[in-house]
Amino acid sequence: MPLFRDIPTPDATASQADCIEWAARRDPIGHRVHLSMAMIALFCIPLASSPATVSSTILFGYTLLRAPTLWRTWRALPSAPVMIATLLVFVWLGMSTSWSSDAQQGIRLLRGSRYLLLIPALVPLLAHRDLLLRALTAGILFQCGAQYVEYLVDGNHGLGGLSEHPGHTCLWYSLALGYLAFSPSPRTHRWGFRVPLFVIIILGAVLTAARSAFAGLIGGLLVAVVVGNPLRRRGASLAVVAGGLLAVAGIASTTHIGDRIVNAWEGMTTPYEGGVFDIEGNRITWWKIGLQEWTDHPVLGTGIGSAGRIIANDPHIQYIVSESPENKHVIRDDFHSTFITMLTESGAVGLLLLCAWMILLACTITGNRNWRLVLITGYVTWIAYCVLNTTLFSGRLVAFPSTLLALSLVPEIAGDIGLRSALGVRETNSSTEPTGSSSTDD
């Protein structure tokens, strides 16, 4: 079997969907290897930093090797408004290191932006969204297994499984739950199969005790139900979903996440009064510092990487650290909110670019009629998580909106091309025969 098939090359007017199918048929073996690597990467990225780094690096490297075949599938990306906005956000952050008080730290923080390469790596595989999301869901079920084992052994809450950060874990759970609840693929329409997996994962989300991600997850499911049902059926659908979520909320109220939610407002509004600094309820301390610093640099901000020095030099923070050696963790390299971190370090310009990116991503997601409900669940969770956490610097957090963006592109590919097209065959009324073999100028 030849590595490359001699098939007609798409011209400059060919659609992105046609170019994706051509690349799969042109290099069938490479396509299947690429798909396998992408599935492994999406299995590993939600787990922890090390497997995410190894699997994604291999995927990016292989995508680069296939560039001579794949470049046509990327022709539409530079002109897509959401891609322009994405690049502008991170280019502006990179430029802001030039006026940062700690440019080296800013450059280190930007390392997570390498996960933007997931977009060109996944675009050639968009005909296999179902397989990609199945691989991601399998990785999340593996993460749930790690959570349950840890819970049974230690009885702890606030568990991230293999991940050090429970919030990251809960964020990725939203995509799997959206897939199980709203997948348009006929392969996943067996409720007897989906419901147990949905329950396993949502209970894993409860175990993370991640308030913002969990609240966003619940909101995302409800928004998807509203968007995905005709007006005459929304009431009944919402009643069913709300009943299920109330049951989950009842379970959550007996766990650590219930305590954190109930006490969240009191903790955030109670000023520090000495002793050990409680990160659970004092995010507002960092927010005040960030907003106060922004007033001195309203347009351009202080530059990415400067947050650590700003926080460390704040008199109130120095007082908190002097109160107890255990309070050193109050000095951090961001303001514990994507919006406030962006506003302080990159100014009003950066915040406007960030909001434009988020709005355009929402428009792109809602424009994909087949997969929008799955992606809406993840998108709403991500927005909620951004309010109380900084998501621009950790690689696995940059990977999340990159995955949403990639999976939302090319909506005209309605179904799976499948491995038959990857092998370069097509079905006729009576038989299966090879595709055309005319000469190509490739």
Side-chain angles (χ1 to χ4, degrees):
M1 180 178 179
L3 290 177
F4 295 96
R5 292 189 177 275
D6 191 18
I7 59 176
T9 304
D11 58 28
T13 62
S15 69
Q16 194 174 10
D18 290 337
C19 293
I20 290 172
E21 184 169 2
W22 174 84
R25 294 171 54 212
R26 165 71 174 165
D27 179 19
I29 295 176
H31 178 78
R32 283 182 287 179
V33 173
H34 190 172
L35 178 60
S36 299
M37 288 183 175
M39 292 173 69
I40 292 171
L42 288 177
F43 179 95
C44 292
I45 288 173
L47 298 180
S49 296
S50 295
T53 298
V54 173
S55 61
S56 62
T57 300
I58 294 172
L59 173 63
F60 300 155
Y62 189 74
T63 302
L64 182 61
L65 289 176
R66 293 194 71 212
T69 301
L70 300 179
W71 67 269
R72 290 178 177 83
T73 70
W74 302 328
R75 284 190 303 200
L77 293 182
S79 59
V82 68
M83 282 299 304
I84 295 172
T86 304
L87 293 176
L88 284 177
V89 167
F90 286 93
V91 168
W92 180 254
L93 286 174
M95 290 173 57
S96 73
T97 59
S98 62
W99 60 82
S100 171
S101 59
D102 192 348
Q104 290 185 343
Q105 172 66 2
I107 293 171
R108 283 194 294 270
L109 292 175
L110 283 174
R111 290 182 302 181
S113 61
R114 69 187 183 277
Y115 279 90
L116 293 175
L117 293 172
L118 271 174
I119 301 169
L122 294 180
V123 163
L125 307 171
L126 286 182
H128 306 290
R129 288 180 176 94
D130 185 62
L131 288 175
L132 295 172
L133 284 167
R134 282 183 171 221
L136 187 146
T137 302
I140 286 168
L141 287 168
F142 188 85
Q143 185 80 292
C144 278
Q147 277 185 293
Y148 290 139
V149 169
E150 188 175 355
Y151 178 74
L152 292 173
V153 172
D154 297 330
N156 294 328
H157 297 275
L159 303 175
L162 300 176
S163 173
E164 295 180 359
H165 200 297
H168 297 10
T169 296
C170 191
L171 177 65
W172 280 99
Y173 280 12
S174 64
L175 261 182
L177 290 169
Y179 172 71
L180 292 171
F182 306 112
S183 170
S185 172
R187 302 177 189 175
T188 54
H189 282 179
R190 298 188 300 275
W191 281 104
F193 173 75
R194 288 197 283 172
V195 169
L197 298 183
F198 188 94
V199 171
I200 289 171
I201 295 174
I202 203 163
L203 291 179
V206 170
L207 285 179
T208 64
R211 290 171 296 188
S212 55
F214 187 76
L217 168 59
I218 301 302
L221 290 170
L222 291 174
V223 170
V225 169
V226 171
V227 172
N229 283 276
L231 185 60
R232 65 181 181 277
R233 295 194 324 210
R234 285 179 185 173
S237 300
L238 276 173
V240 172
V241 173
L245 294 179
L246 282 174
V248 173
I251 296 172
S253 66
T254 64
T255 67
H256 184 49
I257 192 173
D259 295 335
R260 296 190 72 205
I261 291 173
V262 169
N263 299 322
W265 180 252
E266 180 183 357
M268 290 176 62
T269 55
T270 300
Y272 174 77
E273 296 179 348
V276 177
F277 180 82
D278 181 15
I279 191 175
E280 297 291 332
N282 285 282
R283 283 179 173 88
I284 198 168
T285 301
W286 295 302
W287 298 351
K288 287 180 177 179
I289 295 171
L291 291 175
Q292 182 178 358
E293 191 68 24
W294 170 70
T295 59
D296 296 330
H297 309 83
V299 178
L300 300 181
T302 60
I304 184 175
S306 60
R309 291 188 178 181
I310 291 170
I311 292 173
N313 293 330
D314 182 79
H316 184 53
I317 294 295
Q318 292 177 349
Y319 166 70
I320 293 174
V321 172
S322 68
E323 286 281 292
S324 171
E326 297 181 29
N327 289 340
K328 289 183 179 179
H329 65 274
V330 73
I331 301 176
R332 54 185 295 117
D333 57 11
D334 68 272
F335 297 101
H336 225 304
S337 169
T338 299
F339 298 102
I340 292 179
T341 298
M342 195 72 175
L343 182 64
T344 304
E345 293 195 327
S346 63
V349 174
L351 184 63
L352 288 174
L353 290 174
L354 175 68
C355 292
W357 176 37
M358 290 177 167
I359 292 169
L360 289 170
L361 179 55
C363 293
T364 306
I365 286 172
T366 54
N368 190 316
R369 298 188 61 84
N370 289 305
W371 293 93
R372 61 177 178 171
L373 301 184
V374 178
L375 301 175
I376 282 172
T377 306
Y379 177 82
V380 173
T381 308
W382 175 59
I383 293 294
Y385 195 66
C386 285
V387 173
L388 296 175
N389 300 271
T390 303
T391 61
L392 296 171
F393 308 136
S394 169
R396 291 191 302 126
L397 292 182
V398 177
F400 189 83
S402 298
T403 301
L404 291 179
L405 198 163
L407 294 177
S408 66
L409 294 172
V410 202
E412 62 266 31
I413 300 182
D416 231 319
I417 288 176
L419 293 181
R420 296 187 62 78
S421 286
L423 291 170
V425 298
R426 59 182 172 84
E427 292 186 359
T428 64
N429 291 334
S430 58
S431 63
T432 299
E433 59 189 36
T435 55
S437 59
S438 59
S439 61
T440 175
D441 58 0
D442 190 82

